[in-house]
Amino acid sequence: MESAELRELYQTVILDHYKKPRNFGRPEGADREAEGRNPLCGDHFKVYAKLDGDRVAAVGFEGSGCAISTASASLMTQLVAGRSREEAHAIFTRFHDLVTGSGDVDPASVGKLEVLAGVREFPARVKCATLAWHALEAALDRPGESVSTE
Ligand code: ZN
């Protein structure tokens, strides 16, 4: 595919998740939560998780943000559900490396998050793209904590 076409496809996926965020709201039985704020852009989310032993049974989020932060949160809830905490952490590490341009990450290794790969050309948006993920990490490891990109 031409890169212009690919960009357009990515835009479509991002806008779709922005307009219709998946797993919006607190999942039933959620036992973990953390807040994330990105004052630079005004993104503010609360991320919920339901743990079943070491497995992330469900993830949801509430709040509001720009298209990038909302789409990333929405995609995250789909990707992480059903994974172990370790797997969830590994996905975030790869995604973080992909959007910050550090390391040689195969975009295909982050699944649908690949649509956010273009963010690496806009350093200020990296905080938008990773906000929900930082909040999820806090919810899993340090529940109740609030994370800020500042
Ligand atoms: Zn943002």
Side-chain angles (χ1 to χ4, degrees), residues 25 32 35:
R32 302 287 182 115
E35 242 177 312

Side-chain angles (χ1 to χ4, degrees), residues 61-100:
F61 75 105
E62 283 175 345
S64 62
C66 64
I68 298 288
S69 62
T70 307
S72 180
S74 175
L75 287 162
M76 175 186 81
T77 63
Q78 293 188 315
L79 268 171
V80 166
R83 310 264 189 163
S84 70
R85 289 165 66 164
E86 204 175 313
E87 285 168 337
H89 181 73
I91 295 171
F92 177 43
T93 303
R94 286 200 299 272
F95 176 55
H96 191 269
D97 286 352
L98 179 72
V99 294
T100 55

Side-chain angles (χ1 to χ4, degrees), residues 48-146:
Y48 303 96
K50 182 184 178 194
L51 280 181
D52 177 9
D54 197 44
R55 201 173 60 89
V56 184
V59 184
F61 75 105
E62 283 175 345
S64 62
C66 64
I68 298 288
S69 62
T70 307
S72 180
S74 175
L75 287 162
M76 175 186 81
T77 63
Q78 293 188 315
L79 268 171
V80 166
R83 310 264 189 163
S84 70
R85 289 165 66 164
E86 204 175 313
E87 285 168 337
H89 181 73
I91 295 171
F92 177 43
T93 303
R94 286 200 299 272
F95 176 55
H96 191 269
D97 286 352
L98 179 72
V99 294
T100 55
S102 51
D104 197 12
V105 184
D106 176 6
S109 72
V110 294
K112 273 189 169 178
L113 288 172
E114 186 180 358
V115 300
L116 294 164
V119 162
R120 69 182 151 216
E121 287 163 44
F122 309 95
R125 308 315 296 275
V126 171
K127 289 177 175 179
C128 301
T130 56
L131 180 65
W133 290 86
H134 284 294
L136 175 67
E137 294 259 292
L140 296 179
D141 300 335
R142 309 178 302 278
E145 197 172 288
S146 185

Side-chain angles (χ1 to χ4, degrees), residues 25-49:
R26 186 179 189 276
E28 209 182 307
D31 49 9
R32 302 287 182 115
E33 62 180 68
E35 242 177 312
R37 283 174 200 273
N38 177 15
L40 203 66
C41 178
D43 311 315
H44 180 203
F45 296 118
K46 203 165 198 177
V47 171
Y48 303 96

